[in-house]
């Protein structure tokens, strides 16, 4: 049995110092992901630094009309916050689509962003996995790939990012604040997660000992509508085959004034649909335009043996969400 130490941090700086100075140390917040990996033997830290009492668990108004989400805010509390529900429904819907009520009661904002993949080969210590053991190979490449990536994958890894919340935050252009050994920094959400390349073991750009302290949401205009849709194999407690987070603003002539779209279940990161957005801006807010833009986004997809169905599924889901927003059926 490997010894496992535990300490409770007195503050963010104490937590950073404790983890940064020890290669085998890890932060512990809600533990909904890390504890599972401890049980499976995927993660084997020698010290857990509990940060649950030193991270903000409040949602605060910003001077510019946005919101600051403390890294310790529980997913259930964030989804229930009336400011989030009214101004950022895409985020509230994404949170409620994730996990179960019990898990949402303990999962935190910071921890949710740092979830690791649910690829079955990553979770099976007998299988080759570059993400778990760099250089070991990727059993998924010739294995069952129904839940794997169709965008941005590499020959080293075809795993997908599991978070629903992160997909919504990607569409909202959130900014992540951290504290690390080198001090504080602010990271646009689009720069936080990494495509696998030849280093799939690195999920994010965070350094060892760098702690997420807060997430900022930009101000939301009353003319903007947003929504989240998750397509999965059962009604609850299942990870996305494909998910869509969309933010849409139309003008008085029924044209797309602005749009932001992020996809889940299709890539190693929350995937920003930049090609689709570019195709839609300034154009008509019609089904034909939505479908054409979605097809343009998926044109670069490289599905594997078992997941080619994700391409038409993503096109259909994107079209449906944008249609709902354009017709005013959702805010």
């Amino acid at each position: 049995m490997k010894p496992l130490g535990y300490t409770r941090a007195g503050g963010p700086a104490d937590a950073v110092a404790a983890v940064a100075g020890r290669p085998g140390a890890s932060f512990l917040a809600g533990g909904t992901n890390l504890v599972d990996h401890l049980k499976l033997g995927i993660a084997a830290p020698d010290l857990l630094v509990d940060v649950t009492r030193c991270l903000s668990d409040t949602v605060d108004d910003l001077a510019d009309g946005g919101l600051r989400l403390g890294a310790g805010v529980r997913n259930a509390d964030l989804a229930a916050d009336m400011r989030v529900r009214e101004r950022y429904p895409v985020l509230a819907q994404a949170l409620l689509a994730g996990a179960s009520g019990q898990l949402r009661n303990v999962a935190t904002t910071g921890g949710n962003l740092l979830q690791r993949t649910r690829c079955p080969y990553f979770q099976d210590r007998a299988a080759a996995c570059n993400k778990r053991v760099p250089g070991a190979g990727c059993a998924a490449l010739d294995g069952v790939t129904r839940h794997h990536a169709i965008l941005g994958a590499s020959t080293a890894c075809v795993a997908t990012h599991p978070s629903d919340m992160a997909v919504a935050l990607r569409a909202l252009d959130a900014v992540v604040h951290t504290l690390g050994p080198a001090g504080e920094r602010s990271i646009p959400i689009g720069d936080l997660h990494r495509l696998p390349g030849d280093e799939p073991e690195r999920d994010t750009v965070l350094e060892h000992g760098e702690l997420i302290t807060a997430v900022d949401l930009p101000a939301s205009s009353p003319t903007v509508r947003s929504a989240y849709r998750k397509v999965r194999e059962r009604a609850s407690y299942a990870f996305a085959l494909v998910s869509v987070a969309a933010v849409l603003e139309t003008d008085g002539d029924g044209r797309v004034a602005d749009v932001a779209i992020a996809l889940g279940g299709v890539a190693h990161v929350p995937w920003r649909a930049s090609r689709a957005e570019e195709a839609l801006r300034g154009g008509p807010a019609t089904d034909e335009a939505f479908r054409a833009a979605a097809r343009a986004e998926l044109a670069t997809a490289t599905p594997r043996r078992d997941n080619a169905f994700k391409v038409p599924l993503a096109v259909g889901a994107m079209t449906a969400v944008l249609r709902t927003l354009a017709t005013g059926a959702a805010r």
Side-chain angles (χ1 to χ4, degrees), residues 109-115 161 165-166 169 176 189 192-193 212 215:
T109 296
N112 193 296
L113 287 174
L114 301 179
Q115 289 185 77
H161 192 272
M165 184 188 78
L169 292 178
V176 178
I189 187 74
L192 177 66
H193 299 100
I212 294 176
V215 176

Side-chain angles (χ1 to χ4, degrees), residues 216-272:
D216 284 357
L217 302 180
S220 177
S221 167
T223 61
V224 171
R225 298 186 179 95
S226 70
Y228 183 78
R229 178 170 295 193
K230 181 177 183 177
V231 183
R232 47 190 166 180
E233 291 178 326
R234 56 179 184 266
S236 65
Y237 203 56
F239 296 99
L241 292 169
V242 169
S243 65
V244 179
V247 181
L248 180 69
E249 183 175 17
T250 55
D251 61 22
D253 297 323
R255 304 185 77 80
V256 176
D258 202 6
V259 63
I261 307 166
L263 303 177
V266 298
H268 198 260
V269 301
W271 184 267
R272 187 66 178 256

